[in-house]
Amino acid sequence: METVASALEKVLQEAQPLRPAQVDLPEAVGLVLAETVVSDMDAPPFAKALVDGYALQSRDISEGRRRFRLVGTVRAGEWFSGAVEAGQAVRIMTGAPVPTGADMVVMLERGREVGEWVELEGELGGAGAYVMPRGAEMRAGDIVFRRGTVLKPAHIAVLASIGQAKPFVFPRPRVNVVPTGDELVDVACRPGPGQIRNSNGPMLWAAAHRAGANVTLLPPVVDQEELLYRTLERALSDADVVLVSGGVSMGDRDLVPKVLTALGVRQVFHRVRLRPGQPLWFGVHKAPGRRALVFGLPGNPVSSLVCFYLFAKPALRVLMGHDRRRSPEPLARLRVAWEHRAARPTYWPARLWVDRSGMVAEPLPWQGSSDMRTVTLADGFLFVDQGEHRFQAGDEVQVLVID
Ligand code: AMP
Ligand code: MG
């Protein structure tokens, strides 16, 4: 059986960044840039006024002149065609190009206009005051962002300013979610005897959506080979990742591994030493020009969720062009003493928060892998290795943070 670390290693080995595609600029937020972008112009493209005021020559100010002849006004979007001579000033608005000849702007509040003239007083500054020089932010031909940059709203603004209307990014993976199980009824239905509502389907849709994928949720499919085969065949045909829920344990109705194998999905591993989540199945499906990663997630809701965060989310991140190297799982200090006997390496729901000394964890009272309600109170999971543990308050434990 795999360890969590070896299983994750294998998943990441099979994950490849998706082929870059162009997207409309605002929709690139959160995605990873797949090209190195170069500025097509200087920014700002002209020396720009940073306040409303008067553009003039700093030499006049340093020589003591305080009275200037107003020779015009320039606003953002306009261009002042003349030049500012000694003794002259141009009224200028924020964002307007500083006219030729002028090398500083004095704030509007420092001036008093009398007819054709303006009189200045107070602190006026010197050369360059309130002027952003042409190209101060970047110059034409500069490399602005490199391939691999994760795009935040600020990046979207800079890309817009250099004309990148449709940047190349690593696209959102297409994910199909396939819940399986005879007992499942749709969320909108009232379960009959022995039935339960399909909660994994919406949960996995939500988790994959949050991880950045384009997700389709298929209706639950019963544990019947023929139907499973047809549903999974369709699910494999148009996805980068298929998240199957249920049917991967040892029961006589756990048909998913068999059906996936029949469909040509190559098993990479089945079962991981882990609680919750031991039955996890993982394989790869290759068809001409395409490749899908297939996760057979345990039906148990918390198992499914833990396996998603431990294995599927890191894979989605690689598909989306994020760095394959992963930062180590963070450590947190236990707020309370905690005794725990772990029959297997265990992820245990916990509240997590940050205080002045770092991350703090408090294990939640939890009834095991079908108790999802307690998990709603958790910010993540504590990791405890197999064995008998007597933690003191303040001891460090590894954590898996979930969003
Ligand atoms: P399985 O992995 O199919 O043996 O399912 C394990 C447990 O998870 C059983 O108690 C199932 O009823 C439950 N389960 C399976 N699929 C779902 C689902 N989509 N939503 C909620 N519970 C499920
Ligand atoms: Mg089942």
Side-chain angles (χ1 to χ4, degrees), residues 180-184 221 223 245-249 253-256 299-300:
T180 74
D182 288 332
E183 71 277 35
L184 301 179
V221 42
D223 299 313
S245 138
V248 290
S249 311
R253 287 291 172 84
D254 290 326
L255 305 166
V256 168
N300 222 300

Side-chain angles (χ1 to χ4, degrees), residues 33 176 182 194 242 257 264 276 323 343 392:
L33 196 62
N176 283 331
D182 288 332
V242 178
D323 201 331
Q392 307 290 311

Side-chain angles (χ1 to χ4, degrees), residues 178 218 221-222 224-237 259-260 262-263:
V178 187
L218 278 69
V221 42
V222 293
Q224 198 259 326
E225 258 182 76
E226 190 78 353
L227 272 171
L228 268 176
Y229 189 96
R230 272 190 272 139
T231 309
L232 290 172
E233 184 176 41
R234 186 157 64 88
L236 287 167
S237 71
V259 170
L260 286 172
L263 280 161

Side-chain angles (χ1 to χ4, degrees), residues 1-76:
M1 215 186 306
E2 302 290 331
T3 65
V4 170
S6 66
L8 179 58
E9 188 58 35
K10 288 182 177 174
V11 168
L12 294 180
Q13 253 167 35
E14 299 294 343
Q16 301 295 337
L18 296 176
R19 181 177 317 144
Q22 285 181 290
V23 297
D24 286 338
L25 178 58
E27 286 166 18
V29 73
L31 302 182
V32 176
L33 196 62
E35 58 179 341
T36 290
V37 295
V38 168
S39 180
D40 70 337
M41 58 195 294
D42 293 345
F46 44 80
K48 168 170 113 171
L50 294 175
V51 292
D52 300 324
Y54 304 95
L56 44 77
Q57 295 191 2
S58 61
R59 181 176 331 169
D60 281 341
I61 298 293
S62 59
E63 287 173 354
R65 182 191 287 274
R66 292 295 178 267
R67 192 159 182 272
F68 292 80
R69 189 181 179 80
L70 283 168
V71 295
T73 300
V74 59
R75 301 181 182 83

Side-chain angles (χ1 to χ4, degrees), residues 178-185 194-204 220 223 245-251 253-254 256 279 297-304 369-370:
V178 187
T180 74
D182 288 332
E183 71 277 35
L184 301 179
V185 299
Q195 296 183 320
I196 59 166
R197 292 190 176 105
N198 163 31
S199 60
N200 285 352
M203 173 188 76
L204 292 170
D223 299 313
S245 138
V248 290
S249 311
M250 295 302 176
R253 287 291 172 84
D254 290 326
V256 168
L297 301 167
N300 222 300
V302 184
S303 309
S304 230
S369 58
S370 51

Side-chain angles (χ1 to χ4, degrees), residues 216-398:
T216 303
L217 174 55
L218 278 69
V221 42
V222 293
D223 299 313
Q224 198 259 326
E225 258 182 76
E226 190 78 353
L227 272 171
L228 268 176
Y229 189 96
R230 272 190 272 139
T231 309
L232 290 172
E233 184 176 41
R234 186 157 64 88
L236 287 167
S237 71
D238 64 352
D240 303 304
V241 173
V242 178
L243 300 176
V244 187
S245 138
V248 290
S249 311
M250 295 302 176
D252 61 357
R253 287 291 172 84
D254 290 326
L255 305 166
V256 168
K258 182 180 171 196
V259 170
L260 286 172
T261 306
L263 280 161
V265 183
R266 173 174 56 88
Q267 176 181 319
V268 176
F269 61 77
H270 188 189
R271 296 168 69 76
V272 180
R273 283 199 69 75
L274 165 67
R275 180 182 174 232
Q278 179 150 277
L280 176 69
W281 189 97
F282 174 68
V284 181
H285 186 247
K286 280 187 197 155
R290 56 181 313 117
R291 179 186 168 83
L293 304 181
V294 186
F295 292 88
L297 301 167
N300 222 300
V302 184
S303 309
S304 230
L305 191 68
V306 166
C307 287
F308 177 86
Y309 281 106
L310 279 177
F311 305 106
K313 188 177 174 186
L316 287 170
R317 286 178 61 81
V318 172
L319 266 55
M320 293 174 75
H322 289 272
D323 201 331
R324 193 182 295 268
R325 285 167 304 178
R326 309 193 64 235
S327 36
E329 280 176 358
L331 296 174
R333 283 177 305 102
L334 283 169
R335 198 188 69 85
V336 290
W338 190 47
E339 289 188 11
H340 188 73
R341 244 194 101 253
R344 298 197 287 272
T346 298
Y347 285 83
W348 189 277
R351 285 205 175 89
L352 303 173
W353 67 94
V354 173
D355 72 10
R356 276 159 195 265
S357 63
M359 203 183 323
V360 187
E362 185 176 316
L364 287 159
W366 183 48
Q367 301 178 50
S369 58
S370 51
D371 175 11
M372 183 58 86
R373 189 157 180 209
T374 296
V375 177
T376 64
L377 305 173
D379 307 292
F381 294 83
L382 305 180
F383 175 75
V384 280
D385 214 339
Q386 186 171 328
E388 184 106 35
H389 300 275
R390 283 206 176 74
F391 294 111
Q392 307 290 311
D395 282 357
E396 278 190 328
V397 286
Q398 201 181 301

